[in-house]
């Protein structure tokens, strides 16, 4: 399929034209969607499965919006204390906030309420996970390079807002588990030098827990943060259409075209199928897998702490960082600076997102690729340093996530909690370095193997005897290539530097946009 204009059709009188054609002409004169503006409908999208990760995040957001609007009809963001009189007998007569009481009402009294609550929670987990994996795909393939740096910045901002939105929604029920999380959040605020107490009083309205935190979180959760998410997603999609998709290198694929499905009808049909799959899977796991059973935790009380409490996975790395940092404190002019909270919960996340924001610009400055646009994806093995850094970052995150449940791990496997904590502290420093070195070596080894395969061919499995009496295996030329694989032997310099190969087109593309 091509985006080049088609020759005009022979003119037909208005009497001879069908009603559908007249309607199409009238619509095309007002909106750029049909023949006159067919470039939009002819826009091509790559067919590789990895490009669907962003769509999973988009459709999870749709489920979040639909279920969230439904939940607002029944949830009461109030801290006024009431006595529970609902059908859940173990809590009957227990004093609790109206927020927790309305959450129980949704779960036990509203028809389908528990299913919708769980769909909302599961969709939030899938949404954050899909954004994270989508960012990893963009990182490892180099799809953040010129001209897509702004879209990378938008994606990282979306990820950060999604984390805040998830924590705000997680804290609204005012159960014992979410209240423990808010107490940790207040400790993080208090660790800020000079302004910590002021920030805490502003958020909670008074001494912890106060009466204002749930209403304020509710306003952020249903208005401010969703509005920012929707606005950024809209800008992100506009830029995707404007800048066109990246694609794997291959025959007929260049920096000047995109080979794949046209937007309508092929891509639209497959995308709608994916959306229905996401909706169905979220509904299925919400019906079968229980999540966040707040009635078993009970209402929040400042004098109680939930034993073995764990946050949702996307903030688990912060919990792990808090558990690994030693109890470092410094007294300056009578004021205590709690490094054991400030460093892991404030400085570490700030540095993490600063690195994510800056990486595309730093890499392109070091490699000189900022001078021209890059529309072809790299295979991770072709960029050993970038791939090694990415795997090192994932390893660093994984150690922190494991540390967030060190008490559960120690109890389950009968380890010493102190020993496990020290092992994880050492692993936090050593494991990312080892991961970087191993990954870089594997990338070079894969390139060397691929270079030999392209230069010598594939083994046929047949062995023949030479005139000297030795034995050699027969080879045949390589004819099948995975997406993005080079069609010619790559040089040793390309292997060391990770510079992408420039292969010649072997045949014309099947569909071009």
């Amino acid at each position: 399929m091509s985006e080049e204009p088609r020759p005009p059709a022979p003119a037909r009188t208005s009497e001879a034209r069908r009603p559908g054609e007249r309607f199409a002409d009238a619509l095309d004169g007002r909106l750029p969607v049909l023949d006159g503006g067919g470039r939009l409908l002819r826009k091509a999208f790559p067919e590789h499965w990895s490009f669907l990760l962003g769509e999973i995040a988009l459709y999870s957001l749709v489920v979040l919006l639909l279920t969230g609007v439904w939940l607002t009809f029944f949830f009461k963001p109030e801290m006024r204390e009431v006595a529970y009189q609902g059908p859940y007998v173990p809590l009957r007569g227990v004093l609790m906030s109206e927020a927790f009481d309305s959450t129980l009402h949704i779960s036990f009294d509203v028809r389908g309420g528990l299913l919708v609550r769980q769909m909302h929670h599961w969709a939030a987990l899938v949404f954050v996970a899909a954004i994270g994996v989508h960012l990893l795909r963009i990182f490892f393939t180099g799809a953040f390079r010129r001209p897509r740096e702004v879209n990378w910045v938008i994606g990282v901002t979306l990820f950060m807002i999604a984390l805040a939105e998830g924590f705000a929604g997680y804290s609204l029920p005012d159960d014992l588990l979410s209240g423990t999380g808010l107490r940790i959040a207040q400790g993080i605020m208090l660790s800020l030098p000079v302004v910590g107490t002021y920030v805490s009083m502003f958020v909670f309205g008074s001494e912890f827990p106060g009466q204002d935190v749930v209403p304020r979180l509710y306003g952020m959760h249903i208005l401010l943060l969703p509005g920012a998410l929707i606005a950024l997603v809209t800008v992100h999609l506009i830029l995707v259409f404007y800048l066109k998709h990246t694609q794997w290198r291959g025959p007929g694929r260049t920096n000047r075209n995109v080979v794949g499905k046209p937007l309508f009808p092929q891509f639209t049909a497959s995308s709608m199928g994916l959306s229905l799959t996401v909706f169905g899977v979220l509904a299925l796991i919400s019906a079968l897998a229980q999540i966040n059973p707040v009635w078993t935790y009970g209402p929040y009380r400042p004098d109680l702490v939930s034993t073995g409490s764990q946050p949702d996975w996307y903030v688990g790395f912060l919990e792990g960082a808090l558990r690994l940092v030693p109890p470092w404190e410094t007294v300056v002019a009578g004021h205590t600076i709690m490094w054991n909270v400030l460093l892991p919960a404030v400085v570490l996340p700030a540095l993490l997102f600063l690195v994510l924001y800056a990486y595309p610009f730093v890499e392109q400055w070091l490699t000189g690729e900022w001078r021209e646009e890059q529309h072809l994806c790299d295979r991770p093995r072709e960029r050993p340093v970038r791939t090694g850094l990415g795997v090192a970052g994932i390893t660093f995150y994984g150690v922190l996530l494991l540390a967030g449940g060190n008490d559960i791990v120690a109890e389950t496997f009968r380890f010493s909690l102190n020993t496990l904590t020290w092992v994880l502290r050492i692993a936090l420093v050593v494991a990312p370095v080892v991961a970087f070195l191993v990954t870089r070596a594997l990338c070079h080894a894969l390139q060397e193997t691929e270079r030999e395969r392209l230069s010598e061919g594939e083994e046929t499995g047949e062995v023949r005897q030479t005139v000297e009496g030795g034995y050699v295996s027969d080879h045949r030329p390589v004819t099948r290539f995975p997406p993005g694989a080079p069609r010619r032997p790559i040089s040793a310099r390309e292997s060391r530097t990770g510079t992408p190969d420039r292969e010649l087109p072997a045949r014309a593309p099947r569909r071009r946009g």
Side-chain angles (χ1 to χ4, degrees):
M1 179 178 176
S2 174
E3 293 183 2
E4 297 177 358
R6 292 175 292 180
R12 299 175 63 181
T13 63
S14 58
E15 294 78 8
R17 291 188 304 169
R18 298 175 182 175
E21 294 177 344
R22 293 197 297 270
F23 173 75
D25 290 341
L27 186 63
D28 187 47
R30 294 162 176 82
L31 297 173
V33 294
L34 297 174
D35 284 346
R39 289 183 180 275
L40 178 63
L41 296 182
R42 292 198 303 269
K43 180 174 177 59
F45 288 82
E47 302 183 46
H48 196 264
W49 64 268
S50 62
F51 294 95
L52 301 179
L53 296 171
E55 293 184 54
I56 294 176
L58 176 63
Y59 296 132
S60 300
L61 177 61
V62 172
V63 175
L64 278 171
L65 294 174
L66 294 176
T67 55
V69 169
W70 188 90
L71 290 172
T72 59
F73 296 146
F74 306 98
F75 182 73
K76 298 178 181 178
E78 300 293 338
M79 297 293 286
R80 186 173 63 89
E81 202 169 49
V82 297
Y84 179 67
Q85 299 298 330
Y88 188 66
V89 176
L91 291 179
R92 192 171 294 169
V94 175
L95 293 178
M96 60 185 64
S97 66
E98 276 199 280
F100 188 71
D101 181 75
S102 63
T103 304
L104 295 179
H105 175 70
I106 294 172
S107 302
F108 295 115
D109 298 304
V110 178
R111 187 179 297 275
L114 181 59
L115 176 63
V116 176
R117 262 197 67 230
Q118 299 207 146
M119 283 187 67
H120 192 70
H121 202 120
W122 277 114
L125 300 182
V126 173
F127 177 59
V128 179
I131 293 179
V133 177
H134 183 54
L135 285 174
L136 288 177
R137 197 276 299 177
I138 293 173
F139 177 84
F140 283 115
T141 62
F144 52 75
R145 295 171 295 177
R146 179 184 176 186
R148 297 175 181 82
E149 300 97 333
V150 174
N151 236 4
W152 169 265
V153 171
I154 291 174
V156 174
T157 306
L158 277 170
F159 186 63
M160 183 169 55
I161 295 177
L163 296 180
E165 174 76 334
F167 180 78
Y170 168 85
S171 304
L172 287 180
D174 196 37
D175 59 284
L176 186 57
L177 185 61
S178 66
T180 303
L182 280 176
R183 184 59 167 169
I184 296 174
Q186 193 230 5
I188 296 172
M189 298 173 198
L190 293 176
S191 72
L192 297 173
V194 182
V195 299
T197 53
Y198 297 98
V199 173
S200 176
M201 291 294 288
F202 173 77
V203 172
F204 293 94
S206 62
E207 293 293 338
F208 181 85
Q211 298 293 316
D212 299 331
V213 62
V214 168
R216 289 174 178 177
L217 285 175
Y218 184 70
M220 292 182 59
H221 185 68
I222 69 169
L223 290 176
L224 180 61
L225 296 178
L229 283 174
I230 294 173
L232 288 175
V233 167
T234 302
V235 175
H236 179 76
L237 293 177
I238 290 174
L239 289 177
V240 167
F241 272 79
Y242 178 74
L243 298 174
K244 78 181 183 181
H245 264 283
T246 55
Q247 60 183 343
W248 295 105
R249 295 193 305 277
R253 294 176 172 88
T254 69
N255 268 325
R256 296 179 299 276
N257 73 345
V258 178
V259 178
K261 299 177 181 178
L263 175 63
F264 185 85
Q266 287 92 335
F267 178 78
T268 301
S270 61
S271 185
M272 289 303 297
L274 178 63
S275 69
L276 296 177
T277 301
V278 172
F279 298 161
V281 170
L282 287 174
L284 182 64
I285 61 177
S286 301
L288 299 178
Q290 179 176 270
I291 190 171
N292 199 28
V294 295
W295 54 89
T296 64
Y297 309 144
Y300 178 67
R301 284 176 46 185
D303 59 328
L304 297 178
V305 176
S306 180
T307 303
S309 60
Q310 306 291 320
D312 280 340
W313 71 267
Y314 46 83
V315 290
F317 75 101
L318 287 179
E319 178 80 10
L322 286 167
R323 297 187 183 198
L324 289 187
V325 175
W328 294 334
E329 295 181 356
T330 303
V331 179
V332 179
H335 298 278
T336 302
I337 301 178
M338 300 182 296
W339 300 108
N340 55 326
V341 179
L342 181 66
L343 290 178
V346 179
V347 176
L348 177 65
L351 289 177
L352 171 65
F353 281 99
L354 179 62
V355 169
L356 290 177
Y357 279 123
Y359 186 86
F361 305 97
V362 174
E363 181 187 286
Q364 291 184 102
W365 176 68
L366 292 175
T367 60
E369 290 181 333
W370 56 270
R371 296 184 179 89
E372 59 182 17
E373 295 185 355
Q374 304 288 335
H375 299 292
L376 298 177
C377 292
D378 295 328
R379 291 188 304 161
R381 70 182 62 179
E382 296 168 355
R383 297 297 181 115
V385 174
R386 180 204 297 157
T387 304
L389 291 174
V391 174
I394 294 173
T395 303
F396 185 82
Y397 174 86
V399 173
L400 291 179
L401 189 63
L402 181 62
N406 62 350
D407 54 340
I408 304 297
V409 174
E411 181 181 3
T412 302
F413 295 98
R414 298 291 187 266
F415 291 156
S416 167
L417 179 60
N418 292 334
T419 302
L420 179 61
T421 300
W422 273 105
V423 169
L424 292 174
R425 285 172 178 170
I426 297 172
L428 188 65
V429 178
V430 175
V433 177
V434 174
F436 172 80
L437 296 176
V438 171
T439 302
R440 188 179 62 174
L442 286 175
C443 289
H444 287 307
L446 288 172
Q447 290 188 55
E448 182 65 26
T449 301
E450 194 169 67
R451 187 161 53 246
E452 293 178 359
R453 178 170 173 262
L454 290 174
S455 59
E456 300 178 5
E458 295 178 321
E459 293 186 1
T460 62
E462 298 178 357
V463 179
R464 57 185 177 82
Q465 188 175 19
T466 64
V467 294
E468 293 84 3
Y471 293 90
V472 295
S473 58
D474 285 341
H475 294 75
R476 60 170 174 265
V478 179
T479 57
R480 300 182 62 182
F481 302 89
R487 267 65 176 174
R488 63 170 178 79
I490 55 179
S491 66
R493 179 182 179 278
E494 290 172 335
S495 175
R496 290 193 305 270
T497 62
T499 303
D501 306 304
R502 299 290 188 263
E503 64 269 5
L504 298 175
R507 58 181 176 83
R510 179 167 55 91
R511 288 189 294 272
R512 181 176 298 172

